Amino acid sequence: ILNVEQSPQSLHVQEGDSTNFTCSFPSSNFYALHWYRWETAKSPEALFVMTLNGDEKKKGRISATLNTKEGYSYLYIKGSQPEDSATYLCAFGVPDGLTFGKGTHLIIQP
Amino acid sequence: SQTIHQWPATLVQPVGSPLSLECTVEGTSNPNLYWYRQAAGRGLQLLFYSVGIGQISSEVPQNLSASRPQDRQFILSSKKLLLSDSGFYLCAWSGTGGPRFTQYFGPGTRLTVL
């Protein structure tokens, strides 16, 4: 059974502050690491797919890094806004599908 | 552009009743299709995936089954629901090519078994 862990489980951040959270995954048999944003009453939205050690991806104020040798990825949000409130999921890609962590629930406080 | 539909959006069913959830994809051909479930307090768990018509792989032993009668249609079924089948069910599609391809999710079905 693959173990994909995310921390923290939940996070309250003041509007305008920057934040980051972690995803850890098996460091062997690596294919890809996915990040999704899941807002209440919506479908999970793909943010990044990362495949190479040292990958850095950026989309607006959100960025992510990948370390496949030690099995972790960080997601960063710069200058948090209320619309960033969501659950952020990471998923370890395997040939059959994705193994998800439980997510980090982010709440941005005005 | 591609779209993915799921229905119904919510469902309340008694224990022992049958289940049929449907997922359809538009705007793409020969997609990989997936069923996931999020049970209370748990992460999204892969239930089934399919690479083509009639080809279904199951990830976990369970009370559910899946079928793919057409290229862009994926159905999740049960003959007799259990309380533990309650959860949020998501269908997803991806292009062929495996774990490096983004999966795109439908709106989901909230199933409550009483």
Side-chain angles (χ1 to χ4, degrees), chain B residues 21-100:
Chain B
L21 303 181
E22 190 163 343
C23 169
T24 58
V25 181
E26 295 176 357
T28 187
S29 297
N30 196 30
N32 285 2
L33 295 172
Y34 308 86
W35 279 111
Y36 291 89
R37 176 176 64 198
Q38 185 180 44
R42 303 187 65 179
L44 279 172
Q45 180 185 32
L46 178 64
L47 301 177
F48 300 96
Y49 76 98
S50 171
V51 299
I53 295 173
Q55 300 178 65
I56 310 294
S57 295
S58 173
E59 289 300 300
V60 292
Q62 58 205 317
N63 184 42
L64 303 168
S65 61
S67 61
R68 185 170 176 173
Q70 300 180 49
D71 181 45
R72 288 168 287 180
Q73 184 185 31
F74 205 21
I75 297 171
L76 185 71
S77 304
S78 174
K79 292 182 180 178
K80 289 186 178 181
L81 283 168
L82 306 172
L83 287 174
S84 57
D85 293 322
S86 293
F88 191 67
Y89 289 80
L90 281 166
C91 179
W93 75 271
S94 71
T96 54
R100 297 184 176 93

Side-chain angles (χ1 to χ4, degrees), chain A residues 18-38:
Chain A
S18 297
T19 187
N20 65 84
F21 27 92
T22 307
C23 172
S24 62
F25 51 86
S27 55
S28 58
N29 298 320
F30 180 83
Y31 292 92
L33 194 284
H34 298 242
W35 281 101
Y36 285 84
R37 174 169 58 201
W38 196 359

Side-chain angles (χ1 to χ4, degrees), chain A residues 3-51:
Chain A
N3 209 22
V4 179
E5 300 284 345
Q6 289 189 248
S7 62
Q9 189 173 2
S10 65
L11 192 55
H12 288 70
V13 175
Q14 210 65 30
E15 182 178 354
D17 288 351
S18 297
T19 187
N20 65 84
F21 27 92
T22 307
C23 172
S24 62
F25 51 86
S27 55
S28 58
N29 298 320
F30 180 83
Y31 292 92
L33 194 284
H34 298 242
W35 281 101
Y36 285 84
R37 174 169 58 201
W38 196 359
E39 296 178 65
T40 303
K42 294 186 178 180
S43 310
E45 173 198 355
L47 291 173
F48 307 114
V49 180
M50 309 176 79
T51 57

